[in-house]
Amino acid sequence: MAISDELKRLVAQMPDPDSRGMYTTDIDKEKIEKAVAEIAGGGKEHVLGLIEMLGEPGTDEDVKPHYALHCVVNYALVAGDEKLRKDFCDAMASQLDNGDLIPCNRAYLCQELQWAGRDEACPALGKVLLNEDLTEPAALALAAIGGECAASPLRAAAPKAAGKCRLSVIDALAALADPRSAATFQEAMKDDDREVRLAAGSGLAKLGDASAINLLLKAADCEPGWERIQQTKHCLVLAEQLAAAGKKDLAEKIYSHLRETRTDPSEKYVRDLAEAALS
Amino acid sequence: MKKANRGVTRRRFLQSTAAGVAAATIVPRNVLGQGETPPSEEFGGALIGCGGRGGGTFGCLGPGVRRLASCDVKYKDRCDNQTFYVDFRRVLERKDIDVVAIATHPGWHALISIAAMEAGKDVVCEKPMCRFIAEGRAVAEAEKRFGRVFQIEAKGGYRANKVRKIFESGLLENCDSVYIQRGGKKVKEWSGMVKYRVEDVPANLDWDLYCGPAPLRPYHRHRFGGTHRGYWDYEGGGLADMAHHALHAPAYQFGRDLTAPVEITPHAPPAHPEACGLWGWCELKYADGFTVVLDSGEWGEPYGRLEPKHTSEGDLLNMLSEDDRKKLDAMPDPEPLPMFPEAIRTRRPTGSNAERSQRVATIYHLANVAFRCGRPLKFDPDTEQIVGDEEANRLVNQPMRAPWRL
């Protein structure tokens, strides 16, 4: 689409960086807010125009539309205008698969959806979860949006995702403590990638999933090192969750195991806190 | 010259005494008992983040700490995983490290502090403790769960104080005190660049690990080193950098480490999504009526909505009834809060333990959230959530790039 002269004029109202490349001089709040309100008045078309104006990160070409896009998206939140917010987010979501945009700028759209997106943004974010350039920002956006609409595309991506994408997806599901992902986490505990196993352990612990007790205890009994430290933490979190849910006998099972297995002097602090929890 | 490790190490001492118990639900006090630790004791220490503040932060660990490991993401050229490390996880796996000093960029402060405590280490961390509010809460939870000692650089060492006692007593339910801080926040100095040149990552730098839980950005040199302060990814501008210095002691004095503000009113131009920039002032009001104002003096008209008032001992005592003054006199003075070197020997919480520091950090993080959102906010100190603003809460609890998580 063509970028209108009106939009170009309004974007030019954004501040010029100072000699250090910063926004630290001549920042006129009223002037910026007036121009932003006018851009917002142009609705979805103006947002699409701003996206088209984005350039390589940090360049002269990029500075003003980059800032203007964020200000316009936030304008909808400040104004509390739900229709405007949704229109703007729909416009950004529609461009996530636009191959004419450089990956940095598609990641920037994910970032803006992380800022202001809601359920309407989730399907489009889900579609780029298997894209290596976008999996991280898309997963971050979905984790921020939260809820079933965010979890659903993550769950759908999990069986197909590999490498970096798999880690992002499992980690985001763990961040959401998605109650429908317990089986996915249990499966991921067998992954070859240590970080995927740790993400899965975190998810199971947050869920307070009693059926995961043996799995987590076994994982935490691995060789001394980072994984043992982290999975032990997950066991403790699970025990706390179970105790808070009134399942004290199950929590005691975890604490008893830790008390009996953390016999090396370097793990005395774990044994001691298990002992304290049992006393 | 380094001393030979002939003393009784802390870990060996803890191993040999049943008294070294870390309670699971409370920060332990007097676990070892004062005076039980021999003065000749030597601790194994590590420094994670060896830039400009590294030496100073390590020094806060106190005397008798032997530096066994130095870790920095810029050590790819010298990493031997024995003395020099790139990956902090390898350092925390070591059994002979008892205490850790953290002086990375603040985007790492909370995560490494938590990981260190999970590994059984005691921690001194540079300020700010965290990059956002939920991170700070997670540090406080780790401190409590693992019974570790935590301190923010050299903050703490408080003694009994009458003003503190008044606020801590809970007798002052309604006050109209106004505490204003003007200047000193280095807003322009620690701003980020919006126009910059993307460069190749230096060969000795692990840029992915530097970015850590933040988005993996194109490298440009202003994001690295001390100027990291100008980016929301790693810190929070001059406010997050300087406010902990300026607020820690007043927060103790005025009891603002016992709760958090409930109403936040910002005055700033629209914020940039990645680069920290200008702000004018922020007014933060507490449920008891106490108001804190941060006025940068670096943008816009000076703050003029309220005047400073009623922060002296005399003013505050005058707000109490005769009966309440008698009750106050009958109450014990606030407990002194020690510094790290004493705390690791007595197993008492430091003056800037994570719980206290979380409340201090919440003040300036809330101001930054309000500046970034461009709107007034209401905050619930109990749930540590912004009330009725879903998007603002995304800055209170920010997702992290895998494999990093709270």
Side-chain angles (χ1 to χ4, degrees):
Chain A
M1 63 168 279
I3 301 160
S4 70
D5 289 342
E6 172 68 358
L7 181 59
K8 287 179 189 167
R9 182 187 69 77
L10 291 167
V11 170
Q13 305 294 308
M14 297 297 110
D16 290 305
D18 60 20
S19 59
R20 297 190 300 164
M22 297 176 182
Y23 276 169
T24 54
T25 52
D26 300 325
I27 301 300
D28 185 334
K29 176 179 161 81
E30 286 184 12
K31 182 180 173 186
I32 298 166
E33 288 179 341
K34 184 169 180 292
V36 166
E38 288 188 51
I39 297 172
K44 198 169 176 173
E45 291 305 307
H46 271 175
V47 169
L48 290 170
L50 286 173
I51 294 169
E52 196 174 337
M53 290 175 80
L54 295 172
E56 293 281 344
T59 58
D60 278 328
E61 180 195 10
D62 186 66
V63 170
K64 291 190 179 186
H66 186 96
Y67 177 61
L69 179 59
H70 178 70
C71 290
V72 167
V73 169
N74 197 51
Y75 172 88
L77 298 178
V78 174
D81 188 330
E82 172 56 16
K83 180 180 181 307
L84 207 55
R85 185 206 62 75
K86 185 173 181 306
D87 282 352
F88 292 170
C89 289
D90 281 340
M92 292 190 293
S94 74
Q95 298 303 300
L96 290 184
D97 60 357
N98 179 350
D100 291 339
L101 290 172
I102 59 173
C104 272
N105 286 335
R106 292 161 74 192
Y108 180 47
L109 298 182
C110 293
Q111 180 182 301
E112 287 303 304
L113 291 170
Q114 179 179 332
W115 184 271
R118 292 184 186 171
D119 290 354
E120 76 285 333
C122 295
L125 288 164
K127 282 181 188 165
V128 296
L129 281 171
L130 302 182
N131 177 323
E132 288 236 337
D133 290 327
L134 298 178
T135 187
E136 287 178 347
L140 288 173
L142 288 166
I145 292 168
E148 173 54 24
C149 280
S152 175
L154 287 162
R155 278 198 306 269
K160 295 173 270 182
K164 178 181 175 182
C165 300
R166 178 160 170 79
L167 177 57
S168 286
V169 167
I170 300 295
D171 200 64
L173 284 167
L176 292 172
D178 176 41
R180 292 170 64 183
S181 291
T184 301
F185 294 144
Q186 297 215 7
E187 177 64 26
M189 288 290 286
K190 295 181 272 183
D191 203 282
D192 290 339
D193 183 338
R194 175 186 76 175
E195 301 306 335
V196 171
R197 294 195 298 272
L198 289 175
S202 166
L204 288 169
K206 284 185 187 173
L207 283 178
D209 181 358
S211 72
I213 292 175
N214 289 338
L215 194 58
L216 274 179
L217 286 174
K218 186 179 171 200
D221 285 345
C222 63
E223 289 298 303
W226 176 250
E227 184 164 13
R228 184 178 173 98
I229 293 165
Q230 291 300 297
Q231 297 290 28
T232 299
K233 184 261 292 278
H234 297 150
C235 290
L236 292 168
V237 171
L238 177 58
E240 290 167 15
Q241 296 271 27
L242 292 168
K247 299 170 184 170
K248 293 191 176 169
D249 53 331
L250 296 175
E252 281 174 9
K253 179 179 176 183
I254 294 173
Y255 289 127
S256 297
H257 181 91
L258 294 176
R259 180 183 59 184
E260 284 149 25
T261 55
R262 269 46 184 176
T263 52
D264 187 273
S266 66
E267 293 185 303
K268 184 175 186 298
Y269 70 104
V270 177
R271 190 165 71 248
D272 287 342
L273 67 87
E275 184 70 55
L278 286 166
S279 63
Chain B
M1 192 178 82
K2 288 180 181 173
K3 282 197 298 181
N5 185 6
R6 287 193 294 264
V8 178
T9 69
R10 168 182 170 273
R11 194 169 297 280
R12 271 180 238 139
F13 180 75
L14 288 175
Q15 288 158 9
S16 66
T17 171
V21 175
T25 53
I26 55 165
V27 177
R29 287 167 182 266
N30 303 315
V31 171
L32 297 179
Q34 276 191 327
E36 286 189 43
T37 308
S40 60
E41 178 184 359
E42 189 173 64
F43 294 77
L47 173 62
I48 301 174
C50 304
R53 285 294 306 143
T57 309
F58 191 85
C60 296
L61 295 173
V65 177
R66 185 176 174 202
R67 186 155 150 185
L68 302 176
S70 300
C71 177
D72 199 296
V73 290
K74 64 177 180 291
Y75 283 172
K76 276 174 75 176
D77 56 349
R78 73 190 75 168
C79 175
D80 57 10
N81 286 325
Q82 292 180 25
T83 306
F84 294 103
Y85 294 78
V86 168
D87 189 334
F88 71 91
R89 292 171 290 194
R90 301 290 299 268
V91 176
L92 298 182
E93 288 172 344
R94 283 180 60 164
K95 296 179 181 182
D96 57 346
I97 305 275
D98 306 301
V99 293
V100 176
I102 301 164
T104 59
H105 71 62
W108 271 119
H109 284 180
L111 283 181
I112 299 178
S113 293
I114 293 165
M117 291 191 279
E118 288 165 352
K121 324 296 186 193
D122 295 320
V123 174
V124 165
C125 182
E126 251 304 307
K127 51 80 194 161
M129 178 172 78
C130 52
R131 196 172 60 84
F132 54 87
I133 291 167
E135 263 193 344
R137 176 50 52 205
V139 179
E141 284 173 0
E143 178 188 56
K144 184 173 159 185
R145 179 178 291 130
F146 291 95
R148 297 295 93 194
V149 172
F150 177 91
Q151 177 173 291
I152 292 290
E153 41 134 272
K155 303 279 183 278
Y158 297 115
R159 296 183 176 184
N161 175 297
K162 190 66 175 280
V163 173
R164 166 77 182 187
K165 186 177 179 181
I166 294 169
F167 283 109
E168 200 175 79
S169 72
L171 294 168
L172 200 63
E173 289 177 1
N174 294 298
C175 67
D176 58 355
S177 302
V178 179
Y179 174 71
I180 300 181
Q181 275 192 0
R182 295 189 193 275
K185 302 297 184 289
K186 297 187 177 180
V187 179
K188 290 182 179 174
E189 184 175 349
W190 296 132
S191 286
M193 292 172 72
V194 300
K195 180 184 169 187
Y196 52 87
R197 192 165 61 85
V198 173
E199 297 162 276
D200 291 334
V201 178
N204 63 331
L205 174 64
D206 187 331
W207 178 242
D208 191 306
L209 201 52
Y210 178 87
C211 292
L216 185 63
R217 308 281 189 191
Y219 173 82
H220 71 90
R221 68 184 64 187
H222 197 258
R223 279 184 171 267
F224 183 71
T227 48
H228 68 254
R229 293 170 171 87
Y231 299 90
W232 300 119
D233 285 341
Y234 319 124
E235 189 157 356
L239 178 59
D241 187 56
M242 298 305 294
H244 213 102
H245 283 313
L247 286 170
H248 206 273
Y252 175 77
Q253 166 117 343
F254 299 129
R256 298 306 111 184
D257 54 350
L258 302 169
T259 183
V262 295
E263 290 177 21
I264 304 96
T265 306
H267 180 60
H272 190 275
E274 292 98 32
C276 308
L278 297 178
W279 53 275
W281 49 260
C282 188
E283 186 183 280
L284 302 109
K285 190 171 184 181
Y286 287 77
D288 66 357
F290 195 99
T291 301
V292 170
V293 177
L294 304 171
D295 183 359
S296 77
E298 296 193 49
W299 178 83
E301 294 296 312
Y303 175 84
R305 285 157 55 113
L306 298 169
E307 292 295 321
K309 66 174 176 179
H310 295 169
T311 53
S312 71
E313 181 181 324
D315 286 342
L316 294 168
L317 285 172
N318 282 337
M319 290 184 201
L320 297 178
S321 67
E322 185 69 34
D323 275 355
D324 281 347
R325 282 199 290 271
K326 285 178 186 164
K327 283 184 199 166
L328 185 73
D329 287 340
M331 290 177 178
D333 285 337
E335 268 194 68
L337 294 166
M339 299 291 276
F340 187 84
E342 181 187 337
I344 54 174
R345 289 166 172 83
T346 60
R347 307 311 297 169
R348 294 178 58 213
T350 69
S352 57
N353 62 74
E355 182 61 43
R356 291 197 62 246
S357 296
Q358 161 69 352
R359 293 303 199 180
V360 181
T362 296
I363 300 170
Y364 53 84
H365 284 315
L366 278 174
N368 262 343
V369 171
F371 294 145
R372 295 182 73 182
C373 290
R375 51 193 184 267
L377 305 171
K378 291 189 187 302
F379 188 69
D380 181 335
D382 294 329
T383 61
E384 296 190 330
Q385 291 283 294
I386 287 163
V387 180
D389 194 329
E390 179 185 336
E391 285 76 20
N393 269 321
R394 294 178 191 176
L395 296 179
V396 170
N397 187 6
Q398 301 178 28
M400 296 182 168
R401 187 169 66 100
W404 311 108
R405 69 190 69 84
L406 290 176

